[in-house]
Amino acid sequence: MSARYVESSRLPTAWGDFDMHGFEDVDTNKEHVVLTMGEVGNGEPVLARVHSECLTGDALFSMRCDCGNQLQAALQAIAEEGRGALFYLRQEGRGIGLLNKIKAYKLQDAGADTVEANEQLGFGADMRDYSILKPMFEHLNIQSVRLMTNNPRKVNAIEEQGIDVVERIPLHTDSNPHNEKYLRTKAGKLGHMFEGRE
């Protein structure tokens, strides 16, 4: 994959003013954005979150996942530090797309967990591709990050793009009756680490 930088603009949010940088994947025509606050290209490790799109959680406030809460927690952490970057990748449903995600939800309603549902639809457990990140990091002149994630596999995937992950920072969000099985599956089958959670 390769990304083409398009344009930047100011984006005021509830957490403060960010700069929004738009990129286009020239192979898939998907559009991705990075929100930055402060000077991120000065050589110092940057507090960062690589967040895959979750329309249901990020915009529709679904309680089936923890995505929206993680997105908001990351933006708040960056604002509190006054410097950081949030990479928002258009990889809905761990890369299977929105409509297939709805099909997966239907299978989950019938008892499957998130991994089983993806596999029943003929997909892998996680179809996301992080190779799009390399040109985005290069454009912003970011060489190293303090990465906000509970997913050690994401750390490895980002390091494979030549980005130095100097620290993994857990993202703490609350569970609810609708996402408890989802979180257990993320921990048990996908290796996510939820410090402080039983």
Side-chain angles (χ1 to χ4, degrees), residues 9 13 20 68 78 94 107 179 183:
S9 68
T13 76
M20 180 169 60
I78 290 169
R94 294 200 193 110
L107 293 171
N179 70 11
L183 295 174

Side-chain angles (χ1 to χ4, degrees), residues 82-157:
R83 176 176 178 268
L86 185 136
F87 294 76
Y88 196 89
L89 305 183
R90 307 296 297 278
Q91 303 192 102
E92 182 75 47
R94 294 200 193 110
I96 68 173
L98 179 60
L99 298 183
N100 282 320
K101 179 178 173 180
I102 295 171
K103 294 177 183 178
Y105 278 172
K106 182 70 172 179
L107 293 171
Q108 291 168 43
D109 290 341
D113 65 32
T114 55
V115 170
E116 292 165 348
N118 274 25
E119 291 173 345
Q120 288 175 32
L121 291 171
F123 299 107
D126 192 336
M127 302 291 291
R128 289 174 292 186
D129 183 349
Y130 294 103
S131 61
I132 191 70
L133 286 170
K134 186 172 183 178
M136 298 167 81
F137 274 96
E138 289 175 349
H139 178 82
L140 295 167
N141 197 31
I142 297 174
Q143 290 91 33
S144 60
V145 295
R146 296 161 48 230
L147 189 67
M148 293 182 280
T149 185
N150 300 324
N151 184 358
R153 294 183 186 186
K154 186 181 289 185
V155 173
N156 296 335

Side-chain angles (χ1 to χ4, degrees), residues 14-15 18 49 51 57-59 61 66-79 86 148 171 173:
W15 298 274
F18 288 81
R49 165 79 178 159
H51 189 90
D58 298 342
F61 314 108
D66 58 346
C67 303
N69 290 336
Q70 287 189 329
L71 176 62
Q72 294 183 42
L75 289 170
Q76 181 174 342
I78 290 169
L86 185 136
M148 293 182 280
L171 272 178
T173 59

